[in-house]
Amino acid sequence: MNGLKLNPRARAWLGFGLGAVVLFAAAPALLTDFRLSLLAKYLCFAIVAVGIGLAWGRGGLLTLGQGVFFGLGGYAMAMHLKLADAGEGNMPDFMELYGQLDELPAWWAPFANPVFALAATVLLPMLVAFGLGSLVFRRRVRGAYFAILSQALAAAMVILLIGQQGTTGGTNGLTDIEGFFGYDLDDPVNQRMVYFIIAGVLLALLALTRQLMHSRYGELLVAVRDSENRVRFLGYNPANVKLVAYVVAAGMAGLAGALFVPAVGIISPALIGIVPSIEFVIGVAVGGRAALLGPVLGAVAVAWAKTALSERFPGTWTYLQGAMFVLVVAFLPGGLASLWGMVKRRRETAAPLVPQADAPVLVKEAAA
Amino acid sequence: MSETAAGLRIRGLRVVFDGFVAVDGVDLDVEPGDIRFLIGPNGAGKTTLVDAVTGLVKATGSARFGEQELLGRDVHRIARLGVGRTFQTAALFEELTVLQNLDIAAGAGRSPWTMLRRRGAVPDDVAYALETIGLTDRRGVLAGTLAHGQKQWLEIGMLLVQNARLLLLDEPVAGMSHEEREATGELLGRVAGDRTVVVIEHDMDFLRRFADTVTVLHAGKVLSEGTVAQVQADPKVQEVYLGHASTHDTAHDEPVAQGAEA
């Protein structure tokens, strides 16, 4: 119980230490290789969720199309790995199979370079988000219109990928990825390494997001979410404020997509379209969009429930997921993360003699 | 506050909504240090005039603050020229604390590097504004939990740290208790200094106590302008404010004397 009395900074260190122990010691010790690789996949979704938490929870941008950025990162990584698998000068196996092409398309060629491909997994989504966001936010598209627009983009991307079967693998996507920068992905040891990389990236991005949320920018982002016009009258351009959050969230989704590929061995249109994009958001909503850890826990919990329940009740999972989303939005808008605050508040009102109960709290987390 | 004082100069301002002329060729001059009250019946175009000056609605004509033409610029660019406004219903960031509200208002010129870091100590101008609006003790509470009057003061405090040189206040005392009105009026007097202040207000007692000069708008045009006494003696104004014409002789003498001294 002493942890409750620590100052915010000490509590954050404690939290990160605890997270590191769970992810790096407990999980690998307790889980089978199969379960651990599933967890690696969930943690990729959690990375997307951290970005959505920033853009949606703090910035009010309902990003219903994060699959686009997840896909851009995933395809950039998969293209490199396919080229590496094929070996210098060869075409990836599926291109040979479809036989529509005589040589590698020009836009594939740069992805043979590992540095270019790695940079592209993050920068390409950020660039697309920057271009789209610049257009959209300056025209003051927001709320449901923004959500619909971002979702339409996910649909468009899927159609494009399927239509260009010869160069993108079509509906199948890019599959049978065998190596990861020289390491054989069939080897459980290397799978474990991929898991550790993903866990490390997640913790690093959590630290980055925490810094952003507690910075002056983070306060301004909440201000834009709650009263965009007021911010404008103070001399800020809200379009730029939103753009930063949107671009950062896109970069995170791209990185998550890139890490998803070695963890799962495939990237395909079905993994990045409208349905997965909505599932990302459901996880965030269930966990609690405005809290730092809410999106992570929600994403992992929902993805885990999907695996566990759809194994047993394949037909009903979709309904369960929908019901969960409706229940949370209707009765617990702050998500599961807000339960903790509710319990704490109830306890405080039950014991009104707590000293300094109404002393000013300088940096108060947005409770919702 | 070293900037040279600048006044507001409006010429031929015209705002049309779908054929309806809300503001119809208004000329208005407000000198630095003046507290100008803008009054008029509902629909006279008072708020629309402020909306036009702050870039919220499109307008033709000219509105200059100091050397700068305001019309045709984006809202946030106008704000950066030193034009600040409040709204009829306080528009604060309710989920942020008083301190955070003020800190955001003070920060439009901050560098990206400063933005990405945490706030260290309370900036001097923010501390000064907290003192001025009397909310130093309340700086840690969420703005949404403030009393009605305190919310309006916080809005005025945000204009101060924003370093607005032209303050446009839309009904700052609406819904306030008598004591809160008094406190708000005195606050206005303190912050006016060499700033240019325009107040839209319906409350005639408040106006008599704290206005330097008054402009009466009616149907989008300037009906009358001058000191409180001059405006109240204007037969055209009495005609528009019918209620006033009958009670005018008995009601105005003593309050006007106060207003003229203030």
Side-chain angles (χ1 to χ4, degrees):
Chain A
M1 296 310 272
N2 260 338
L4 296 178
K5 301 269 186 287
L6 292 171
N7 70 41
R9 187 157 295 190
R11 235 165 50 190
W13 280 113
L14 197 74
F16 277 108
L18 205 66
V21 169
V22 168
L23 288 177
F24 286 98
L30 297 175
L31 298 177
T32 62
D33 283 340
F34 172 67
R35 293 287 161 193
L36 195 68
S37 74
L38 278 182
L39 183 59
K41 183 168 103 172
Y42 304 159
L43 293 186
C44 291
F45 298 151
I47 293 174
V48 183
V50 172
I52 295 178
L54 182 72
W56 183 34
R58 295 298 174 118
L61 303 166
L62 180 46
T63 50
L64 272 181
Q66 289 304 85
V68 170
F69 307 122
F70 185 81
L72 284 171
Y75 271 89
M77 175 64 92
M79 283 162 72
H80 172 71
L81 298 183
K82 285 307 277 183
L83 288 172
D85 282 349
E88 182 108 31
N90 295 325
M91 290 205 295
D93 47 9
F94 74 93
M95 286 189 193
E96 310 268 6
L97 191 70
Y98 296 136
Q100 297 171 355
L101 298 164
D102 300 325
E103 59 175 15
L104 198 65
W107 58 274
W108 268 74
F111 287 92
N113 180 325
V115 177
F116 176 89
L118 276 180
T121 61
V122 180
L123 295 183
L124 200 61
M126 290 175 97
L127 204 68
V128 171
F130 181 82
L132 186 76
S134 303
L135 290 174
V136 166
F137 299 139
R138 273 184 225 300
R139 281 176 179 69
R140 305 197 187 173
V141 176
R142 52 187 166 192
Y145 298 99
F146 172 77
I148 292 166
L149 195 96
S150 49
Q151 185 154 88
L153 195 69
M157 176 140 162
V158 166
I159 292 167
L160 180 75
L161 286 170
I162 293 175
Q164 302 299 313
Q165 191 178 22
T167 53
T168 64
T171 318
N172 295 337
L174 302 178
T175 60
D176 302 324
I177 287 158
E178 288 156 9
F180 182 60
F181 297 95
Y183 294 94
D184 181 3
L185 285 173
D186 280 338
D187 187 338
V189 175
N190 292 338
Q191 268 301 332
R192 202 164 265 238
M193 172 190 73
V194 169
Y195 164 81
F196 284 129
I197 293 174
I198 293 170
V201 167
L202 174 63
L203 282 181
L205 290 180
L206 275 174
L208 176 81
T209 306
R210 182 173 188 278
Q211 173 62 25
L212 269 183
M213 283 180 174
H214 288 262
S215 69
R216 280 181 151 130
Y217 168 78
E219 295 175 353
L220 182 61
L221 185 63
V222 171
V224 169
R225 176 192 73 188
D226 291 346
S227 186
E228 186 172 335
N229 246 340
R230 190 70 185 90
V231 170
R232 210 171 263 132
F233 283 107
L234 293 174
Y236 297 96
N237 188 354
N240 293 340
V241 180
K242 293 199 231 180
L243 192 58
V244 171
Y246 188 51
V247 168
V248 169
M252 290 188 188
L255 192 52
L259 295 169
F260 180 88
V261 170
V264 181
I266 179 175
I267 188 80
S268 75
L271 294 165
I272 69 171
I274 287 181
V275 173
S277 295
I278 292 176
E279 282 176 348
F280 290 145
V281 169
I282 291 180
V284 174
V286 168
R289 58 185 156 142
L292 178 63
L293 282 181
V296 172
L297 300 178
V300 173
V302 170
W304 170 80
K306 181 179 179 176
T307 311
L309 294 175
S310 60
E311 275 168 11
R312 253 164 275 175
F313 320 101
T316 51
W317 163 246
T318 318
Y319 296 101
L320 279 173
Q321 193 179 33
M324 198 160 58
F325 186 54
V326 170
L327 284 175
V328 165
V329 168
F331 298 108
L332 200 63
L336 296 176
S338 65
L339 281 176
W340 168 243
M342 281 160 82
V343 170
K344 214 164 73 174
R345 237 169 294 141
R346 195 151 296 177
R347 211 180 286 162
E348 268 167 24
T349 45
L353 286 178
V354 176
Q356 301 284 321
D358 58 355
V361 186
L362 282 190
V363 182
K364 189 174 186 333
E365 304 266 359
Chain B
M1 310 298 164
S2 57
E3 291 100 305
T4 47
L8 175 67
R9 188 179 157 88
I10 295 176
R11 287 291 174 272
L13 189 78
R14 201 176 143 83
V15 180
V16 183
F17 296 123
D18 290 332
F20 170 72
V21 183
V23 177
D24 191 5
V26 165
D27 295 346
L28 188 70
D29 286 287
V30 188
E31 298 305 320
D34 192 3
I35 300 185
R36 171 71 54 94
F37 272 57
L38 211 54
I39 63 169
N42 284 331
K46 306 181 296 285
T47 299
T48 309
L49 185 141
V50 168
D51 286 349
V53 170
T54 53
L56 196 58
V57 299
K58 279 205 166 63
T60 55
S62 160
R64 299 179 82 83
F65 180 56
E67 303 294 304
Q68 303 283 350
E69 175 63 52
L70 303 178
L71 298 189
R73 290 179 193 258
D74 285 340
V75 168
H76 69 277
R77 301 229 176 267
I78 294 175
R80 287 194 179 203
L81 293 174
V83 179
R85 73 173 290 184
T86 65
F87 296 83
Q88 284 179 23
T89 49
L92 300 164
F93 309 121
E94 306 221 325
E95 304 228 344
L96 297 176
T97 65
V98 169
L99 175 61
Q100 286 172 325
N101 270 271
L102 286 169
D103 189 63
I104 286 174
R110 286 186 185 131
S111 70
W113 176 241
T114 312
M115 290 303 294
L116 290 178
R117 285 190 306 169
R118 210 182 269 255
R119 178 184 46 251
V122 177
D124 288 343
D125 52 346
V126 170
Y128 179 74
L130 277 169
E131 206 61 52
T132 308
I133 59 175
L135 291 179
T136 305
D137 296 341
R138 310 275 290 159
R139 65 181 182 177
V141 306
L142 296 186
T145 64
L146 289 178
H148 177 73
Q150 293 174 325
K151 285 187 179 175
Q152 284 290 354
W153 300 335
L154 178 54
E155 288 250 29
I156 293 172
M158 287 164 77
L159 296 186
L160 294 183
V161 293
Q162 187 187 347
N163 208 6
R165 314 303 303 160
L166 170 62
L167 311 185
L168 303 160
L169 311 177
D170 199 349
E171 299 194 25
V173 298
M176 279 190 184
S177 70
H178 184 71
E179 291 76 23
E180 285 176 330
R181 278 162 204 246
E182 286 297 305
T184 307
E186 280 157 23
L187 176 61
L188 277 188
R190 277 205 303 280
V191 304
D194 60 347
R195 293 186 173 90
T196 308
V197 182
V198 177
V199 183
I200 296 177
E201 196 46 75
H202 282 298
D203 185 310
M204 288 302 146
D205 287 330
F206 185 71
L207 173 135
R208 290 190 197 100
R209 290 271 282 116
F210 298 105
D212 290 338
T213 53
V214 181
T215 297
V216 185
L217 286 185
H218 179 54
K221 292 190 163 112
V222 174
L223 186 72
S224 178
E225 194 165 277
T227 64
V228 177
Q230 285 167 346
V231 166
Q232 281 199 312
D234 188 333
K236 284 183 292 183
V237 176
Q238 293 171 12
E239 208 174 294
V240 171
Y241 283 95
L242 273 179
H244 252 261
S246 54
T247 57
H248 157 253
D249 283 334
T250 51
H252 87 286
D253 283 343
E254 196 247 352
V256 163
Q258 274 182 8
E261 282 164 40

